[in-house]
Amino acid sequence: MRPIKLEIQGLQSFNEKQTIDFETLTEHGLFGIFGETGSGKSTILDALTLALYGNVVRIKDTKEDKLIHLLNINSDRIMVAYEFFIGEERYYVKRIFPKMKNKNELGQSKASFMVNGEIKADKVGDVNNCIGEIIGLSMDDFTRSVVLPQGKFSEFLKLTG
């Protein structure tokens, strides 16, 4: 998977829409994500996982399992969009999690998935199936091998098989 672009809005410290252009960042090779505590480094990885799988490790591992805790207090929705290559194919996935009016919870999420500019899925379940087929990893496997969230390195070292 080669990242192209990640868009984030309303997620944690990202109130306004922010775009990370990976093609520009990687044109000279590797890049790093650096910043002060609380500046949004982990949120970038959360956004990537949220775009692909509709969930994040920090919430998935809690009993409440509610994305509302990731909503920026000044936002009325979480939006993530991720564009990437696998081989020669160009993929784009977008998810929106709107806040319900007068409630402290998110409403029904929306998702869309495109391959080479052609819409392949526009329902959450169908998008999840498409992502599973092209990536070939569950969210747990993806976060263990690709993202490796903060605080999970010890668990990674203890994996078997």
Side-chain angles (χ1 to χ4, degrees):
M1 176 185 306
R2 189 177 82 207
I4 300 170
K5 182 173 35 171
L6 179 66
E7 296 176 329
I8 309 167
Q9 182 177 5
L11 182 65
Q12 299 274 38
S13 56
F14 295 96
N15 181 32
E16 299 296 322
K17 182 178 172 185
Q18 302 294 316
T19 302
I20 300 170
D21 180 352
F22 290 103
E23 289 188 309
T24 300
L25 288 173
T26 59
E27 66 185 6
H28 298 294
L30 295 174
F31 73 96
I33 301 173
F34 304 94
E36 298 291 324
T37 300
S39 63
K41 300 178 302 294
S42 294
T43 304
I44 292 170
L45 300 177
D46 286 345
L48 180 86
T49 307
L50 187 57
L52 291 173
Y53 293 98
N55 207 342
V56 297
V57 172
R58 287 196 265 185
I59 297 300
K60 185 177 174 289
D61 289 346
T62 68
K63 289 181 181 176
E64 292 183 355
D65 196 24
K66 292 190 176 185
L67 292 173
I68 189 70
H69 302 298
L70 300 179
L71 180 68
N72 183 285
I73 61 171
N74 297 312
S75 297
D76 62 353
R77 68 183 184 147
I78 295 172
M79 185 283 300
V80 288
Y82 180 48
E83 190 171 357
F84 58 98
F85 279 112
I86 296 179
E88 299 298 316
E89 303 291 331
R90 187 181 195 116
Y91 299 96
Y92 176 82
V93 61
K94 180 176 184 177
R95 295 185 192 258
I96 298 172
F97 304 85
K99 182 178 180 188
M100 293 179 67
K101 290 185 185 317
N102 303 319
K103 291 188 179 182
N104 193 31
E105 57 187 80
L106 296 177
Q108 184 68 38
S109 64
K110 297 175 182 158
S112 61
F113 180 73
M114 296 176 19
V115 179
N116 298 322
E118 182 181 333
I119 295 175
K120 295 292 184 181
D122 61 359
K123 293 184 174 98
V124 173
D126 295 340
V127 170
N128 293 344
N129 290 338
C130 288
I131 292 294
E133 287 176 20
I134 63 154
I135 294 180
L137 295 172
S138 68
M139 181 179 157
D140 287 338
D141 291 338
F142 181 82
T143 55
R144 285 183 188 139
S145 60
V146 179
V147 176
L148 197 58
Q150 184 176 340
K152 297 289 185 179
F153 188 68
S154 175
E155 180 182 314
F156 174 75
L157 293 176
K158 295 173 186 172
L159 288 175
T160 60

